[in-house]
Amino acid sequence: MYDIAHLDIPPLRRCAGTVRLPGSKSISNRVLLLAGLSDGVTAVHDLLESDDTQVMLAALERLGCRVQRDGNVHTVRGIGGRLSTAAAQPLSLFLGNAGTAMRPLAAALALLVTRDGGDITLAGVPRMHERPIGDLVDALRQLGAQVEYSGHEGFPPLRLRGRRGGVADTARPIRVRGDVSSQFLTALLLALPLASGSDGAQPIVVEVEGELISKPYVEITLALLQRFGIAVEREGFRRFTIPADSHYRAPARIHVEGDASSASYFIAAGAIAAVDAPLRIEGVGLDSIQGDIRFVAAARAMGAQVTGGPGWVEVRRGAWPLKAVTLDCNHMPDAAMTLAAMALFADGRTRLTHIGSWRVKETDRIAAMATELRRLGATVVDGADFIQVEPPRHWRRAALHTYDDHRMAMCLSLAAFNPLAGGGVPVRLLDPRCVAKTFPEYFETLFDVVATEPRDIPVITVDGPTASGKGTLASAVAARLGWRQLDSGALYRATALAAMRADVAATDTTALARLAGALPLRFDGDLVWLDGIDITAALRHEEVGALASRISALPEVRQALHALQLSFRRVPGLVADGRDMGTVVFADAALKVFLTASAAMRAERRLKQLISKGISAKLDALRADLEARDARDMHRAVAPLKPAQDALQLDNSSLTIEQSADRVLQWWGERNAFD
Ligand code: C5P
């Protein structure tokens, strides 16, 4: 996750490959509840990992479900529609701010305690106690459930009580309002099978009062009930009947679809930039039960070529520029935001209507979208329930606000494809971490499938002598920019280690170059793997460093590692440290830092480092060794250690890492200003 103040996305030109979407939140929590109530074991694949699913899992475990996790599979052993005796003790469940946990659990537990007895309180964070639940409670009271408000009338916390042997009154139709939230109806539909065996063989009828909103979400509920063996009969969206004697049946295995709203950003990216090869999106397919899959039709109308099957969608660019459209977006308010971003690449004026609900979401999304698209240079007209966008004639290098709204951030990231529409500017997104609400790994996922000209990917180089703190500084800077990092010394060290392990002599230039040219090396966070073996610690051994220093003087070895080093230059940017990053490998880097510290200071730091690892050493010997390595690095014929002509020198002898990083970021900020 990009937990940084701002993220700069370089101008992007292509998009291809495969992405996997995180699971849908709506499906995840419904599936968990149904699996939890079932008789038997359900293996839930690809559950969304978020706060809301965490609280649901925790609540189910407190109620007696057994949940085991193995990779991306959660195995849930349900309670078989009965409260265990443990749950008959007074119980309090904390449900955070998860509406998708509070509503259905309230309904299910109200019915369970009515029949099996119990005393359960459902509470959440303060914001949860401001979210209305009265309509659902009214419906549950019609069933004879004893539900009390422990705080304010109409809001959680709720206290549910009952005595063993009670019976829910299901003889008359249960009436529930549908015009405030469809979640009340969903909660009842998910829970009522619990009461369907309680009163002889009568079916249970639910009637919706008022016009039901968010119908696609009720469709999800019905489809999932079907998977758990409950065939709800319906008359449109007015009347639903749960057959008598319905029982949840664990489907053994169920897969949580990827989130269709999240898919929209990648469908858009494919429509804009999947030019040579398609972008494949896995986790959600054209057969999806989620309403936002209808975004595909809108994207096609704008020119996208979309094919798909069960669980996958493939997108290519079709018409280019995209076709401007006028579209009523009432049926998919969330995904429609993505169309506003696609409009930046259209051949005229795109008008999205019936989007009044945007104004009352995470932020006023109409105002926010209009403001930010204008910042990019687009001509935007907005009204009470529409937005109209004309693409920029001149793209501006803009710093874009995200309004703590995950969808704003994801939509605006698409503006980075501006070189395909006559631009060539990076895009700055402020507070990018807001994507965590539904898609914590959004940017990582995007960056894995995009490409651009290397010259457009910014590089900061940090060169300097042994033990000057380059690596530490480079990681600090990379972390604060959200960039990748290249520790080029590790490549020389890995070559040295590989040579030691293969018994290759330090003088066998040909064999060394061959080893360096085909290193089976993999970087994984802070870990380095060579041929499947973790060599992170081994790389730091003194004898490995000493051999690295010797073989790095060989032109053949340096040449063999050249292409590998260049391959680290990937979106969104690179901080590379070593000896010749600014002078040779990334001579076009936008900012070059030459880091120094006195030999005495460096020897002291290295001594501390060694002691902390339990290795003993002598200060004098360390200093002599450092000076010998400096001399070798500075006097070798190829790529000698020296500051690049345009490097900025930084002596960090008396600076903390934080202070050094601040200095470098300040230099970078001066060279990289946004409007
Ligand atoms: O920086 P580090 O000590 O890990 O580097 C190991 C050795 O690799 C150094 O002694 C140096 O001689 C060599 N090296 C190099 N060019 C680089 C990085 C490291 O010659 N870009």
Side-chain angles (χ1 to χ4, degrees):
M1 191 177 57
Y2 282 86
D3 194 4
I4 52 180
H6 59 75
L7 173 64
D8 294 347
I9 309 180
L12 304 175
R13 292 180 167 76
R14 287 289 182 273
C15 173
T18 302
V19 297
R20 266 212 83 77
L21 298 172
S24 145
K25 181 177 75 176
S26 317
I27 296 179
S28 291
N29 266 358
R30 283 170 174 79
V31 164
L32 283 180
L33 182 76
L34 289 168
L37 294 175
S38 290
D39 196 4
V41 178
T42 309
V44 184
H45 290 245
D46 297 333
L47 193 75
L48 171 67
E49 305 220 23
S50 72
D51 293 348
D52 290 10
T53 51
Q54 274 316 313
V55 295
M56 180 63 107
L57 278 167
L60 291 175
E61 289 191 291
R62 296 277 309 278
L63 292 167
C65 296
R66 289 233 302 277
V67 183
Q68 272 180 328
R69 178 169 185 186
D70 185 9
N72 65 339
V73 183
H74 287 77
T75 306
V76 182
R77 178 179 292 279
I79 57 170
R82 301 236 143 240
L83 272 185
S84 67
T85 40
Q89 308 298 322
L91 194 68
S92 179
L93 300 178
F94 175 76
L95 302 175
N97 194 14
T100 53
M102 175 62 81
R103 280 82 180 251
L105 276 173
L109 293 175
L111 292 172
L112 284 172
V113 298
T114 299
R115 193 191 60 204
D116 299 340
D119 179 354
I120 303 180
T121 299
L122 301 180
V125 297
R127 171 74 188 141
M128 175 60 102
H129 299 164
E130 295 167 8
R131 298 171 68 179
I133 197 161
D135 291 331
L136 177 61
V137 171
D138 291 346
L140 294 170
R141 285 177 174 167
Q142 292 169 48
L143 285 154
Q146 196 184 329
V147 186
E148 294 153 37
Y149 298 111
S150 352
H152 294 288
E153 185 81 8
F155 299 89
L158 299 181
R159 186 166 178 194
L160 316 170
R161 277 192 287 185
R163 247 186 261 130
R164 174 174 280 282
V167 176
D169 175 8
T170 57
R172 281 163 301 157
I174 298 129
R175 303 180 65 81
V176 65
R177 277 179 64 182
D179 53 354
V180 176
S181 164
S182 66
Q183 282 196 28
F184 302 143
L185 173 61
T186 279
L188 285 174
L189 292 173
L190 290 173
L192 279 170
L194 289 169
S196 71
S198 62
D199 197 20
Q202 286 188 52
I204 307 176
V205 176
V206 183
E207 287 175 357
V208 179
E209 292 178 338
E211 172 71 15
L212 181 67
I213 60 166
S214 309
K215 295 187 177 91
Y217 286 102
V218 174
E219 299 277 15
I220 295 178
T221 306
L222 296 175
L224 292 175
L225 277 163
Q226 183 82 46
R227 283 297 309 277
F228 282 81
I230 315 260
V232 179
E233 292 153 22
R234 58 190 277 197
E235 290 159 41
F237 284 99
R238 294 239 138 256
R239 199 178 149 92
F240 300 84
T241 305
I242 289 142
D245 218 18
S246 290
H247 294 280
Y248 306 101
R249 274 201 318 271
R253 180 187 185 285
I254 190 160
H255 168 250
V256 175
E257 280 192 8
D259 196 284
S261 319
S262 301
S264 72
Y265 311 107
F266 291 99
I267 294 170
I272 295 163
V275 180
D276 316 308
L279 180 66
R280 187 179 167 94
I281 301 157
E282 292 185 347
V284 66
L286 296 179
D287 59 342
S288 170
I289 58 174
Q290 300 168 69
D292 270 356
I293 197 66
R294 283 187 253 176
F295 176 81
V296 167
R300 280 181 176 144
M302 293 190 79
Q305 276 184 22
V306 187
T307 55
W312 63 275
V313 172
E314 241 176 53
V315 191
R316 281 172 185 273
R317 184 198 267 185
W320 191 256
L322 295 176
K323 289 184 264 185
V325 292
T326 294
L327 214 62
D328 181 329
C329 297
N330 189 27
H331 55 295
M332 48 161 196
D334 283 357
M337 291 175 73
T338 314
L339 297 174
M342 288 173 79
L344 294 169
F345 301 91
D347 58 3
R349 178 185 304 157
T350 291
R351 192 178 159 90
L352 308 176
T353 63
H354 249 118
I355 53 167
S357 67
W358 283 22
R359 295 226 181 253
V360 294
K361 294 290 173 79
E362 277 81 343
T363 181
D364 177 343
R365 285 175 165 171
I366 296 184
M369 190 63 86
T371 307
E372 301 313 309
L373 297 186
R374 281 185 198 119
R375 260 190 241 281
L376 286 162
T379 306
V380 185
V381 180
D382 62 313
D385 74 341
F386 76 91
I387 191 167
Q388 185 175 296
V389 182
E390 268 177 79
R393 261 189 231 118
H394 302 287
W395 287 82
R396 291 208 211 105
R397 222 182 135 88
L400 303 174
H401 295 250
T402 52
Y403 305 81
D404 201 17
D405 181 350
H406 54 135
R407 301 210 181 283
M408 284 299 294
M410 295 190 275
C411 283
L412 293 172
S413 69
L414 295 169
F417 288 110
N418 64 75
L420 301 170
V425 292
V427 170
R428 171 167 290 182
L429 295 181
L430 305 173
D431 296 323
R433 66 173 82 80
C434 58
V435 299
K437 181 148 199 237
T438 47
F439 202 159
E441 303 293 305
Y442 173 71
F443 293 109
E444 289 86 340
T445 308
L446 178 70
F447 295 158
D448 271 351
V449 291
V450 297
T452 193
E453 304 288 342
R455 66 178 147 80
D456 275 331
I457 301 173
V459 178
I460 296 176
T461 61
V462 182
D463 287 309
T466 303
S468 57
K470 306 177 299 294
T472 317
L473 174 61
S475 352
V477 171
R480 281 174 52 186
L481 291 169
W483 289 6
R484 302 176 197 258
Q485 192 193 347
L486 165 61
D487 165 10
S488 61
L491 306 187
Y492 290 94
R493 287 170 183 266
T495 308
L497 186 67
M500 284 160 68
R501 292 195 170 164
D503 262 336
V504 171
T507 46
D508 188 345
T509 311
T510 320
L512 286 170
R514 200 180 316 119
L515 272 181
L519 281 180
L521 209 54
R522 189 166 62 82
F523 289 83
D524 176 13
D526 288 338
L527 300 182
V528 192
W529 301 77
L530 183 67
D531 214 1
I533 299 167
D534 181 355
I535 56 163
T536 321
L539 283 186
R540 304 318 307 177
H541 289 168
E542 284 302 297
E543 64 278 18
V544 175
L547 182 59
S549 168
R550 284 179 61 194
I551 64 172
S552 66
L554 301 170
E556 292 83 354
V557 171
R558 303 200 74 82
Q559 189 50 41
L561 288 174
H562 194 77
L564 177 58
Q565 296 179 79
L566 293 181
S567 73
F568 280 78
R569 187 174 196 165
R570 288 169 48 207
V571 176
L574 176 68
V575 184
D577 74 84
R579 305 292 186 286
D580 61 342
M581 295 297 98
T583 49
V584 178
V585 182
F586 300 108
D588 66 337
L591 173 63
K592 300 176 184 176
V593 177
F594 194 81
L595 195 63
T596 54
S598 64
M601 179 62 83
R602 289 186 282 136
E604 245 172 67
R605 287 182 188 159
R606 173 116 328 159
L607 182 66
K608 275 195 200 138
Q609 223 175 34
L610 291 173
I611 290 172
S612 75
K613 288 184 193 154
I615 304 169
S616 61
K618 290 223 168 59
L619 190 63
D620 289 350
L622 282 176
R623 180 168 171 170
D625 183 55
L626 286 178
E627 282 171 343
R629 284 195 206 181
D630 288 352
R632 199 159 36 225
D633 285 344
M634 287 188 299
H635 297 121
R636 69 185 172 213
V638 278
L641 171 65
K642 61 168 192 227
Q645 259 183 353
D646 48 349
L648 298 175
Q649 305 237 7
L650 180 61
D651 184 330
N652 71 0
S653 301
S654 59
L655 296 178
T656 64
I657 296 159
E658 205 53 18
Q659 288 168 330
S660 305
D662 285 344
R663 184 76 55 84
V664 174
L665 288 166
Q666 187 198 334
W667 284 334
W668 175 242
E670 285 160 9
R671 285 165 190 225
N672 184 48
F674 281 79
D675 297 342

